[in-house]
Amino acid sequence: MDTIKISTAQNIDIEYEIAGLGERIAARCIDLVGFAILAIITVIVMGAAQMSLSGNAGLVVLFIFLAIFAFYDLVCELTMDGQTLGKKVLKVKVISLDGGQPTLGQYILRWLFRTIDFGFPFGWGVVALIAVVVTKNHQRLGDILAKTTLIKTTPRTQLANVAFNFSLPDEYDAQFKEVIHLSDRDIELIHEVLNGYYQTGNAELIYAMAAKTKAHIVATLPSGMNELQFLETVLKDYKHLTSVSV
């Protein structure tokens, strides 16, 4: 499973899965279906208005349709945070390989090379298919040159999948009742950071996450509690308080 690290607003690196060939094809198919529906509607409207493609009005409508088709991906990705309608449905988005939001230049570069990736005479998508399959980050040619790729927008860890693999005694009393003000996404991040520490031993992640969490809930560590214990306690307190509230 290929992943890429994205830096969050809390300066914590979270791994996201890179979208594969299946997600790319499905997202593109959804976009093409949308264009097919738009084309059918256009033809119906032109027929109802008795327009001819050889007439001026018909040529204007055809030009508008072709312009929408040509600039659809670029405009959508610029205005919809790296997504088209198809990508949004599939929950994937364009991201820079450095983990940041792509620049205008990167969006334009990957858009310009769509002709080679998907157009005639380059096999109507064969170039893109081969590139996505053989490259490490599942990139088509435009992605390689723009240094971008597609990721799944859903992080690997979600609250529903957070393994609260601990039991709390009935008389458990939360030490940090302010954790109730944390969001589910905050808890997902804390869980992800703890897992990262358990696997790599990188204490910097713990210090950074603990500092952000303390500042967010305005908490002070009691004597004898370190940052790792604090984050583990936050998870326990959150589990306790949310289960009680339910």
Side-chain angles (χ1 to χ4, degrees):
M1 183 183 300
D2 295 318
T3 62
I4 186 172
K5 289 185 177 180
I6 306 298
S7 182
T8 69
Q10 293 83 6
N11 295 320
I12 302 298
D13 290 337
I14 300 299
E15 287 188 342
Y16 283 78
E17 293 181 38
I18 296 175
L21 182 61
E23 286 90 358
R24 283 177 174 266
I25 292 176
R28 188 58 183 166
C29 286
I30 291 173
D31 288 331
L32 291 176
V33 168
F35 278 115
I37 294 173
L38 180 61
I40 293 172
I41 293 174
T42 301
V43 171
I44 293 174
V45 171
M46 289 179 65
Q50 297 183 339
M51 293 181 187
S52 171
L53 286 179
S54 59
N56 291 335
L59 289 176
V60 169
V61 172
L62 178 61
F63 175 79
I64 292 173
F65 178 82
L66 292 176
I68 293 174
F69 183 82
F71 292 96
Y72 168 79
D73 290 273
L74 178 61
V75 173
C76 283
E77 289 174 2
L78 283 172
T79 59
M80 296 172 59
D81 192 27
Q83 294 179 301
T84 61
L85 294 178
K87 292 183 179 72
K88 199 171 189 67
V89 172
L90 268 294
K91 296 182 179 180
V92 298
K93 64 178 288 186
V94 181
I95 196 75
S96 177
L97 287 183
D98 63 9
Q101 184 74 16
T103 63
L104 174 62
Q106 286 177 295
Y107 280 128
I108 291 176
L109 189 57
R110 74 186 304 274
W111 171 73
L112 286 173
F113 278 85
R114 295 189 64 81
T115 303
I116 298 177
D117 278 319
F118 300 107
F120 177 83
F122 301 101
W124 297 103
V126 174
V127 173
L129 289 173
I130 294 175
V132 171
V133 170
V134 302
T135 55
K136 175 184 176 182
N137 293 313
H138 302 309
Q139 299 164 282
R140 63 177 177 84
L141 181 59
D143 284 316
I144 295 172
L145 295 174
K147 296 182 180 180
T148 58
T149 190
L150 260 62
I151 63 166
K152 299 180 182 180
T153 57
T154 304
R156 294 196 305 165
T157 299
Q158 295 182 336
L159 186 64
N161 298 324
V162 170
F164 290 115
N165 52 355
F166 49 80
S167 58
L168 300 175
D170 295 336
E171 64 276 10
Y172 182 85
D173 185 30
Q175 297 185 56
F176 304 101
K177 293 182 172 59
E178 299 84 359
V179 300
I180 198 67
H181 301 300
L182 294 173
S183 67
D184 289 350
R185 183 69 187 113
D186 293 329
I187 297 300
E188 293 164 6
L189 285 171
I190 292 172
H191 183 269
E192 192 82 19
V193 167
L194 286 172
N195 275 345
Y197 172 75
Y198 297 147
Q199 294 172 12
T200 66
N202 186 354
E204 291 184 4
L205 295 177
I206 296 296
Y207 293 134
M209 189 76 254
K212 295 294 182 181
T213 304
K214 285 187 292 183
H216 186 66
I217 66 175
V218 193
T220 302
L221 268 63
S223 177
M225 177 180 286
N226 59 37
E227 282 77 3
L228 175 60
Q229 293 168 332
F230 167 67
L231 293 180
E232 292 173 335
T233 302
V234 165
L235 286 187
K236 293 178 182 179
D237 289 353
Y238 190 85
K239 176 186 178 182
H240 173 71
L241 293 173
T242 54
S243 62
V244 170
S245 62
V246 172

